[in-house]
Amino acid sequence: MMGDASTWAAWVAAVTSLATLIVTTLVGGRREHRRWARESLTDAFVAFLEASWAHSDIVRYTPAEQPLDIEAAQACYAEMRSQLTRLRLLASGDVLRAGEDLLRCQRAAHEARPGSARQEALLTAARSRRVVVAAAKREMGLI
């Protein structure tokens, strides 16, 4: 009888250990995946917004008598598009709509004539950027 009870106890301990291992692996894996997704989302938001600010700076600080640094402005715009693609994979529709709107605003600022038209376009882009920041905070559960 003793051998049977100890064998049975060993089997119960092995099954319990296996179940604990499986549950720990699943929960830990999900936690790691959520952490990776959150970090990736944060990186994409930061890169998208940094490119937007850089683009605005390039467009804003171009004197009316000098041509716009097209290459630098296009590089920032391309970075925004690239990061928006990452956001499409990681974020909700609300975030994407806000990001797409900001991208259009940056394009409008780029194409606006120097002077009041460009300044107004930059103000519109700044307002749109604030909408993206708010959407990012909501997406990440910060507000």
Side-chain angles (χ1 to χ4, degrees):
M1 277 304 245
M2 200 53 119
D4 290 335
S6 63
T7 302
W8 187 249
W11 274 104
V12 169
V15 169
T16 302
S17 179
L18 179 62
T20 301
L21 177 64
I22 291 170
V23 168
T24 302
T25 301
L26 289 175
V27 170
R30 286 185 188 142
R31 190 177 305 129
E32 281 298 313
H33 177 41
R34 281 193 303 272
R35 192 172 96 222
W36 170 84
R38 185 179 177 100
E39 287 173 2
S40 296
L41 184 59
T42 301
D43 291 346
F45 278 133
V46 168
F48 181 74
L49 291 167
E50 283 179 347
S52 172
W53 278 305
H55 183 271
S56 287
D57 288 345
I58 291 166
V59 172
R60 175 180 296 112
Y61 298 121
T62 300
E65 53 281 343
Q66 292 182 354
L68 180 66
D69 184 348
I70 300 291
E71 285 184 30
Q74 285 178 336
C76 292
Y77 188 80
E79 178 64 14
M80 284 183 70
R81 288 180 59 130
S82 175
Q83 295 306 323
L84 192 58
T85 298
R86 288 180 65 199
L87 290 172
R88 281 186 179 97
L89 298 172
L90 298 166
S92 68
D94 289 341
V95 170
L96 295 179
R97 282 185 289 282
E100 289 166 348
D101 184 54
L102 177 54
L103 191 68
R104 282 189 292 276
C105 288
Q106 293 295 160
R107 181 49 125 193
H110 180 100
E111 294 173 349
R113 299 185 68 71
S116 62
R118 183 171 288 163
Q119 293 310 311
E120 185 58 38
L122 287 166
L123 287 173
T124 301
R127 284 190 293 273
S128 183
R129 195 176 301 113
R130 285 190 292 276
V131 172
V132 170
V133 169
K137 286 181 175 182
R138 277 191 306 277
E139 185 82 8
M140 295 186 298
L142 299 174
I143 56 171

